[in-house]
Amino acid sequence: MHDTWDPAGDGVLKLPSGRLVRGRGLRHPLPQGAQPTFALYLLGKQPPHVEWEHRWVRWPDFWLPSDRAATANTLREAWSRAENERVEVACGGGRGRTGTALACLAVLDGLPAKEAVPYVRAHYSRHAVETPWQRRYVTRFQ
């Protein structure tokens, strides 16, 4: 089964391999159309209830994840599932934490770490990855 996003969909990032991941801000309404089959929520507090499978990474706004090893494992799971599933990555506004996670997914997808932030800014949001420490996190991500 290959059940991924529409590449022209709102907030959908096409990774270099062709995998599609939707980024969004949870403060905004859920986009029209298909729902995620798996989501990764990057928040300082427990996310709201959703009907689909999801993981929560404790990640305060403007900062870095509280447990970096667990976050790396969860990002690997999201990247793997994006091959055949509708994967969503979201934080409050959909820029800093979401952009950082999407850049890490681009690294997992084979993009050199130094190119990941510019790639996400060009193909997802020019405001993605908001702080110097988030940019550093991506360049050191493996």
Side-chain angles (χ1 to χ4, degrees):
M1 179 177 98
H2 195 75
D3 191 21
T4 62
W5 299 111
D6 173 356
D10 190 29
V12 174
L13 172 68
K14 184 175 184 179
L15 294 169
S17 68
R19 292 173 202 234
L20 303 173
V21 180
R22 182 173 76 188
R24 78 176 180 101
L26 294 172
R27 290 191 294 264
H28 307 291
L30 185 66
Q32 298 263 332
Q35 295 182 338
T37 53
F38 177 77
L40 175 55
Y41 296 124
L42 316 166
L43 299 167
K45 61 182 183 179
Q46 186 123 12
H49 175 75
V50 293
E51 298 298 321
W52 45 86
E53 187 178 355
H54 66 282
R55 304 278 181 275
W56 168 42
V57 169
R58 186 180 298 275
W59 191 331
D61 201 8
F62 296 105
W63 292 100
L64 296 174
S66 300
D67 184 336
R68 293 183 192 175
T71 300
N73 288 336
T74 306
L75 287 166
R76 284 183 188 89
E77 178 184 7
W79 177 80
S80 177
R81 293 178 77 149
E83 185 173 12
N84 296 306
E85 297 180 50
R86 289 185 309 274
V87 173
E88 172 177 86
V89 176
C91 64
R95 292 180 172 186
R97 295 168 285 181
T98 296
T100 302
L102 292 173
C104 290
L105 293 178
V107 171
L108 290 172
D109 206 56
L111 202 63
K114 67 181 184 216
E115 296 175 23
V117 171
Y119 182 87
V120 170
R121 287 180 174 166
H123 299 282
Y124 170 68
S125 169
R126 64 187 178 95
H127 301 288
V129 191
E130 296 175 311
T131 68
W133 40 92
Q134 289 173 340
R135 284 192 300 277
R136 220 172 12 257
Y137 180 80
V138 173
T139 61
R140 295 176 180 167
F141 186 78
Q142 300 181 39

